[in-house]
Amino acid sequence: MYRKISIRPTCLSITIASFRIRNCRAIYLLIFFALRIQHEPIPLDYNGVHNSNLNHPIQIQETIKAIQTTRNSAPGADNIPAAWFKRLNNQQVHTLTASFQEIFITTNIPQQWKHSLIIPIPKPSKDKTIISSYRPIALTSVGAKIFERILTKRISTFLLTQKKIPPCVYGFLPLRDNQLAIYKIQSNILEKLINKRIFSLVLIWT
């Protein structure tokens, strides 16, 4: 059985696919629990005592790790390639880390980090005289990418360890992906079918 129910007050469209639903009471229970499952919003203030790990000085190990995981992509507006960063010695990486820390404290972002080079790439088998036959790519500063990797690693670690992200979220997280989500759904469906029990799947999108 397949049912679609739109709930206007919450601006959500809830599609409910139910297996072996014998009465409408199960539908109402699903709607009730779907509306009650609300994740507490993440506070924007990261300066509290419990968030000290987010604000401690940037360590040289963080910079080294971010440089190692940076791809050898084309440079941005500052014309500094990733290979240049990967050839830095320990003293130079220490200086770079101090620069990152200064940016982190003052929030003064270098102007070159705010600009990108737009390169049009022709699509295969398309008329090159038509502008729609090209796709643009933006080349940003490699230094900015390294700095962003440091902050992204800190924030993602904080959100996961502090359980700020619900366990039902799988996108763009370490050790979670869409295959794991599909596997869990399939396992639940098979378990309910084997035990001859009702299984309900609620899909919510904005």
Side-chain angles (χ1 to χ4, degrees):
M1 181 180 293
Y2 175 84
R3 297 176 183 267
K4 181 175 181 180
I5 301 176
S6 298
I7 303 179
R8 296 296 181 183
T10 58
C11 299
L12 294 177
S13 178
I14 300 182
T15 301
I16 302 178
S18 300
F19 298 88
R20 300 182 62 191
I21 292 182
R22 298 178 181 177
N23 54 60
C24 294
R25 187 164 53 185
I27 292 286
Y28 294 126
L29 286 174
L30 287 174
I31 298 174
F32 174 77
F33 285 110
L35 294 178
R36 287 181 61 88
I37 299 176
Q38 297 180 356
H39 184 64
E40 182 179 354
I42 300 173
L44 297 179
D45 182 14
Y46 291 107
N47 296 319
V49 176
H50 300 290
N51 304 333
S52 59
N53 290 335
L54 287 171
N55 302 309
H56 65 72
I58 297 176
Q59 305 297 313
I60 188 173
Q61 292 81 4
E62 293 179 283
T63 304
I64 293 175
K65 182 65 174 178
I67 292 175
Q68 291 175 344
T69 55
T70 299
R71 296 185 301 175
N72 292 321
S73 57
D78 55 13
N79 203 30
I80 303 177
W84 183 86
F85 289 94
K86 295 184 178 182
R87 288 195 297 263
L88 297 177
N89 57 37
N90 289 337
Q91 182 59 39
Q92 292 168 335
V93 173
H94 179 79
T95 303
L96 178 63
T97 304
S99 300
F100 286 160
Q101 179 62 23
E102 182 69 18
I103 296 172
F104 184 70
I105 294 176
T106 62
T107 68
N108 292 326
I109 307 299
Q111 287 297 324
Q112 290 180 323
W113 287 13
K114 300 178 182 180
H115 300 276
S116 61
L117 299 178
I118 307 299
I119 308 296
I121 305 297
K123 299 177 181 178
S125 303
K126 296 291 184 178
D127 186 0
K128 294 180 174 55
T129 62
I130 304 176
I131 192 172
S132 60
S133 300
Y134 295 82
R135 60 180 182 88
I137 61 171
L139 303 180
T140 56
S141 171
V142 177
K145 293 178 182 178
I146 295 173
F147 184 70
E148 290 171 358
R149 285 180 182 275
I150 295 174
L151 300 185
T152 301
K153 178 64 176 178
R154 284 191 177 192
I155 294 174
S156 61
T157 300
F158 168 78
L159 296 177
L160 290 173
T161 56
Q162 299 298 320
K163 298 181 180 180
K164 295 292 185 177
I165 300 179
C168 58
V169 177
Y170 292 90
F172 306 100
L173 292 173
L175 303 179
R176 298 189 194 181
D177 55 18
N178 58 348
Q179 293 183 355
L180 179 60
I182 294 174
Y183 170 76
K184 287 191 174 183
I185 294 175
Q186 181 184 19
S187 299
N188 278 284
I189 293 176
L190 292 177
E191 179 186 356
K192 297 301 185 295
L193 290 176
I194 292 175
N195 296 326
K196 297 182 178 180
R197 298 178 60 186
I198 295 176
F199 175 81
S200 300
L201 176 65
V202 180
L203 304 177
I204 304 176
W205 66 92
T206 56

